[in-house]
Amino acid sequence: MAKTERCYFLTRNIFDGILNQKTLFVQKEVLRHTYQPETLPHRGHERDQLSFNLVEALKGHIPSNMILYGVTGAGKTAVTRYVCDQLQSKGESIGRMVHPVMVNCRQIDTQYRVLSHLGNALLEDYEREEIPFTGWPTDRVFSELVKRMNARGGVYVLVLDEIDHLVKKAGDDLLYNLTNLNAELKDARACVIGISNDLKFTDFLDPRVRSRLGQQDIVFNPYNAEQLQDILRSRAEVGINADAIGAGVIELCAALAAQEHGDARCALDLLRVSTEKAEQEGLDVVEQNHVRIAQAQIESDQVTPVIRTLPTQQKLVLASVLINEKNGLRNMQTGEVYHVYKQACSNIGQQFLTSRRVSGIISNLDMLGLITAKTISRGRYGRSKEINSCIPTNIDPCDVMSKAEPSLNEVFSAKYRHQSQL
Ligand SMILES: Nc1ncnc2c1ncn2[C@@H]1O[C@H](COP(=O)(O)OP(=O)(O)OP(=O)(O)O)[C@@H](O)[C@H]1O
Ligand SMILES: [Mg+2]
């Protein structure tokens, strides 16, 4: 390396250029999911329903238990957090003991952990013992929680977000116990709010728990494209330079997210990533093509890890579908996938599974959104599946799988005998 070149490298830091690059964001945080916005357009009705119930806590009464339903990204967590924050600050200002506590049951996913989390959230003075992460009998944790709630007094609003995860994993004992809390409490009161994005969630509950919890339900409908535009505009006003958003960009982000299932999170991601793309190109304005690039990247970021982490047998079944497609086969039947799958297994010395198990794997790949497996009726020949892959075109699934498991290279390079269709 020449001396002058070395000097250049010694004095220059790779971040200099990027750090000084002009930014299109005013506050990027505002476009992230974790940001709690000041206003929540198109959720006034849900906010009011929630606050009309929770106002009871400010009067010292017990609010009704509630279940909040709605598709992902419909604003359930954002609205509830907003209302809980307002409730807490009103309680403080009028001297009422109101304690909203939110627990995310996807992260804290056992009865023990939720109870200990609630108990520790109420830990005020130092002489009290922290409930350990594990090790106590559950009823001891429960009675410690009751003791602490009584000692503090007031009205507790216990919000169990993404509760469907916990119930599917660990049953409804927690809900049974928490909805029975008022029978145990002497100097305090409690209500429970469960939030779920599975509309069939109550089917998993014991009828007694269902009737106690579902005293009042609120359904959060998916946002439509116009509503998503308003949400994006309200966030963009604070988060992005006023003249950095090109014509039609917000509309396109909203339309794409509305097509999915009206998910505000997805719309925000599209707007944030497309602004990042324009910024990386050193441009002053985000254009619609950046939204398309952002969409492809987000899709790829979501799908690639799913493919990469499939167990080997599932990769082999997916590979068999792809090999058939490469040979011009569409709408294939399970037998045609199985025929290639068996050869693929023997190519890499893997034991092959029964056709029944492979059929189960096909359903799983369908559930993951990597293939579509439509069941169709063939009249007197019974029913069969029509299988096609549905991986976004900017992803090369064969490459992703071979990189994750190099032995699969042989699967993709081998020659296959194909079953002739009936
Ligand atoms: N009406 C709204 N106005 C502004 N931002 C919103 C609105 N609704 C949702 N958002 C934003 O969209 C993102 C997703 O919302 P939220 O987390 O509340 O969805 P959710 O219904 O709880 O979804 P999930 O079921 O996946 O948990 C958050 O960043 C939230 O701030
Ligand atoms: Mg949520």
Side-chain angles (χ1 to χ4, degrees):
M1 195 186 284
K3 198 171 164 196
T4 49
E5 209 178 323
R6 200 164 51 233
C7 286
Y8 175 79
F9 277 113
L10 284 176
T11 51
R12 224 182 118 71
N13 183 293
I14 53 165
F15 289 102
D16 289 340
I18 316 172
L19 194 62
N20 300 326
Q21 208 170 5
K22 193 171 51 198
T23 174
L24 301 182
F25 292 100
V26 182
Q27 264 189 78
K28 201 177 198 171
E29 278 320 299
V30 174
L31 292 159
R32 295 201 189 275
H33 316 147
T34 42
Y35 178 78
Q36 177 67 44
E38 294 284 316
T39 55
L40 293 158
H42 303 291
R43 282 299 177 238
H45 179 63
E46 293 75 2
R47 180 202 59 207
D48 290 348
Q49 278 180 287
L50 199 55
S51 40
F52 280 134
N53 178 35
L54 293 184
V55 72
E56 293 302 318
L58 292 170
K59 299 177 189 162
H61 304 149
I62 315 174
S64 302
N65 295 330
M66 296 177 117
I67 308 181
L68 276 43
Y69 300 99
V71 293
T72 184
K76 300 179 297 295
T77 303
V79 169
T80 311
R81 187 172 297 140
Y82 176 80
V83 172
C84 285
D85 286 350
Q86 294 269 307
L87 180 70
Q88 178 143 27
S89 69
K90 192 70 200 170
E92 280 161 13
S93 74
I94 62 170
R96 277 275 178 193
M97 300 271 277
V98 185
H99 320 282
V101 190
M102 281 185 84
V103 184
N104 186 307
C105 301
R106 189 196 284 263
Q107 288 152 6
I108 299 179
D109 61 355
T110 62
Q111 161 160 238
Y112 183 99
R113 290 189 60 207
V114 172
L115 291 175
S116 63
H117 179 88
L118 291 173
N120 288 332
L122 311 182
L123 194 73
E124 259 185 327
D125 33 33
Y126 296 109
E127 63 268 25
R128 282 230 189 90
E129 188 184 1
E130 212 37 63
I131 304 172
F133 187 66
T134 169
W136 285 10
T138 310
D139 39 350
R140 179 168 169 209
V141 187
F142 188 72
S143 45
E144 182 64 31
L145 174 67
V146 170
K147 203 166 89 189
R148 288 180 187 188
M149 287 169 102
N150 274 329
R152 252 186 160 196
V155 183
Y156 291 81
V157 177
L158 307 177
V159 181
L160 304 173
D161 200 358
E162 311 204 27
I163 181 66
D164 42 320
H165 277 270
L166 190 146
V167 169
K168 280 179 205 160
K169 190 176 160 221
D172 58 6
D173 285 357
L174 172 75
L175 286 173
Y176 184 85
N177 289 329
L178 290 183
T179 50
N180 199 29
L181 257 176
N182 287 316
E184 309 272 332
L185 291 169
K186 285 197 190 68
D187 303 317
R189 294 280 167 262
C191 77
V192 180
I193 298 182
I195 304 180
S196 159
N197 60 24
D198 180 351
L199 292 171
K200 294 217 179 84
F201 151 71
T202 49
D203 294 355
F204 295 90
L205 301 177
D206 181 284
R208 278 172 305 172
V209 178
R210 191 187 312 169
S211 75
R212 276 199 223 152
L213 183 63
Q215 293 169 344
Q216 208 178 323
D217 291 358
I218 305 180
V219 178
F220 285 63
N221 290 315
Y223 293 114
N224 63 30
E226 284 77 37
Q227 293 173 330
L228 287 172
Q229 284 180 28
D230 292 339
I231 291 173
L232 288 179
R233 284 204 186 92
S234 73
R235 300 278 278 252
E237 263 168 28
V238 197
I240 304 177
N241 274 334
D243 13 283
I245 302 174
V249 165
I250 297 240
E251 289 77 358
L252 182 57
C253 292
L256 291 172
Q259 258 169 30
E260 284 262 322
H261 50 250
D263 177 349
R265 192 180 286 120
C266 163
L268 283 165
D269 279 344
L270 278 170
L271 184 61
R272 193 191 71 251
V273 178
S274 37
T275 311
E276 282 169 359
K277 294 286 162 202
E279 197 175 83
Q280 279 159 17
E281 288 178 23
L283 300 175
D284 294 329
V285 179
V286 192
E287 301 290 355
Q288 292 189 28
N289 67 313
H290 298 115
V291 181
R292 297 280 178 199
I293 300 171
Q295 186 194 23
Q297 186 196 309
I298 292 169
E299 231 168 33
S300 154
D301 289 352
Q302 287 166 349
V303 176
T304 308
V306 176
I307 300 176
R308 195 172 41 225
T309 54
L310 285 174
T312 306
Q313 284 293 343
Q314 302 211 15
K315 282 201 185 86
L316 284 164
V317 175
L318 179 61
S320 310
V321 173
L322 297 167
I323 290 163
N324 271 337
E325 281 183 350
K326 220 160 91 192
N327 289 307
L329 208 63
R330 297 291 296 172
N331 301 329
M332 62 200 88
Q333 296 174 19
T334 308
E336 290 166 319
V337 178
Y338 191 60
H339 188 67
V340 169
Y341 158 80
K342 279 206 298 194
Q343 297 172 61
C345 286
S346 70
N347 281 336
I348 56 163
Q350 280 270 341
Q351 277 280 8
F352 56 83
L353 303 174
T354 61
S355 135
R356 232 182 86 122
R357 296 269 306 275
V358 167
S359 192
I361 293 181
I362 288 174
S363 305
N364 188 46
L365 295 174
D366 184 9
M367 228 166 61
L368 291 172
L370 300 173
I371 62 172
T372 57
K374 248 194 322 196
T375 306
I376 53 157
S377 161
R378 292 186 183 274
R380 65 196 172 97
Y381 296 109
R383 295 188 320 158
S384 73
K385 281 196 174 129
E386 269 189 357
I387 302 162
N388 291 295
S389 78
C390 59
I391 296 168
T393 46
N394 60 320
I395 301 174
D396 179 351
C398 307
D399 185 54
V400 176
M401 286 195 275
S402 313
K403 280 200 180 119
E405 284 187 46
S407 62
L408 291 176
N409 264 319
E410 303 212 12
V411 168
F412 292 113
S413 56
K415 293 241 172 310
Y416 292 86
R417 279 172 286 108
H418 289 276
Q419 211 178 32
S420 51
Q421 246 176 334
L422 290 175

